[in-house]
Amino acid sequence: MLKTGLIQPETIPGHFPRNLRTIVELYRSCLDAGAELVLCPPLALSGVHTGELALRSGFRTQHRAALAYLAREIADVPLLLGATDAEGIRFHLLRNGLSFPRQAVIPPSPHGKERVPVFGIWRTEDEAVFSIAPWGEIPPPHVSATCLLLRTPANAWHEGLLEQDEEEAHLTARETGLPVFTARLAGGEGPFLLPGASSVWSGNENLLKRLRLFERDSAVISPENSTGTDSPLPSPEQQLRHALRKGMEDFILKSGYGAVCLNLLENSASLLLAELLKETCPSLEVTGFLPSLPGIPEETRERVQAFAGTAGIGVRTVSFPAKAGGLDEKAAIAWLMRQWAEEEGALLLSSLTGTDIMTAPRFLPAALAADFMPLGDLYETELANLFPGFISPAPEAARRDGFLIRLHREHESATELANRFPESEREIRRLQRQARASEWTRLKLPPRLMLRSIPGTQETPYIHRLAD
């Protein structure tokens, strides 16, 4: 087997200087470890979730310039990566300042349980250049035996993704008897999380290496260090906790903010969010608002202030007095917070959970003023299970959230659900009506991390599921 470097960058869509620097740094670390070939995940240069940026001519021009610049940074050891062009995502072999586009074009990333594209990498007879082609195609006549297989999954992380993907990679190694490299990007791109955990399986079905989950990383795998290891993936709960913390950190820092603020009295998860922020980014300045609003007892405000202050988790607190007037007081306070955040250059967060979004329309107008909702894809009981001690849902909350998950995450019809649970039909229809009433407002809410919903699927189908 080749002494092969595998790099796992973090990217910011469209931020070519930063992405270039990351790739070059990881490439050079593989050179220092003696790599003969370095593999990079597709779209490491441009980022995956570019959206409308990819449609702009300026973006395409910058992308071509960045690819040419990257080639000039590559020495005699080739770097193989996938980059977009007019035909899609094409492999490029960079070496000695030149870029050699390969014929192999990576098909669009599959969804569901379809298998990830697999490519074979061959060394040419003079061992000077590498050739790559979809696995199963007949290799060119001038190449020697297959060196390794490369898998290029590009899906954003969701629960169960890594387990399914590693099972497929293990099966491919068993079927072919060849080393199987799975190259993924890592870190957050807006509301999406790229899983990292790139892996290498030997031809005798041993896991040789797995890079870090969600973090930039690199490694060189060679015959000398190819002793099999048994390193299981973190449990789904550990992955989810890591994803939440990493997603918050990347969204805040990659947005260019050095401070955040939130309403500590918004809901039961506010203090949990404040503590997670301080644990994840200790140097981040976190400000908690304590508005005076009807329905919130003074002793509650004092208890929250004591817990959040320097004697507790170390959050600076700012009080907002109640404002009398014709506007709704919650909305008025929310826009005062918005004004404060803009003056201070801070990112305004909302701590609303998926349960709040679906069942408490009164909270939604105030949340429209926020910039980011880290917890918006998790339901109240899910947060209570992940972080026991912070949230204490009512006994009936598990059943309510179970119905919400079936309706809005699994897209089950309310009629089908009522047929399965006839004794709860009134509760199911009530949740259905609440969701329909707040549907338009939910569409205008700030972005949330995709933690449990599968990225790319519709949150709530407009017709049929909730209007049946």
Side-chain angles (χ1 to χ4, degrees), residues 323-329:
K323 293 283 185 180
L327 293 175
D328 177 76
E329 288 191 60

Coordinates of all heavy atoms in Angstrom, one line a residue, residues 323-329:
K323 N -41.6 48.3 29.2 CA -42.0 49.5 28.4 C -43.5 49.5 28.3 O -44.1 48.6 27.7 CB -41.3 49.5 27.1 CG -39.8 49.6 27.1 CD -39.4 51.1 27.4 CE -37.9 51.2 27.3 NZ -37.5 52.6 27.6
A324 N -44.1 50.5 28.7 CA -45.6 50.6 28.5 C -45.8 51.3 27.2 O -45.1 52.2 26.8 CB -46.2 51.5 29.6
G325 N -46.9 50.8 26.5 CA -47.2 51.4 25.2 C -48.1 50.5 24.5 O -48.6 49.5 25.0
G326 N -48.4 50.9 23.2 CA -49.3 50.1 22.4 C -48.8 48.9 21.8 O -49.5 47.9 21.5
L327 N -47.4 48.8 21.7 CA -46.9 47.6 21.1 C -46.9 46.4 22.1 O -46.8 46.7 23.4 CB -45.4 47.8 20.7 CG -45.2 48.8 19.5 CD1 -43.8 49.0 19.2 CD2 -45.9 48.2 18.2
D328 N -46.9 45.2 21.6 CA -46.7 44.1 22.5 C -45.4 44.2 23.3 O -44.3 44.5 22.7 CB -46.7 42.8 21.7 CG -46.5 41.6 22.6 OD1 -47.4 41.2 23.3 OD2 -45.4 41.0 22.5
E329 N -45.4 44.0 24.6 CA -44.2 44.2 25.4 C -43.1 43.3 25.0 O -41.9 43.7 25.0 CB -44.6 44.1 26.9 CG -45.4 45.3 27.4 CD -45.5 45.3 28.9 OE1 -44.5 45.4 29.6 OE2 -46.6 45.2 29.4

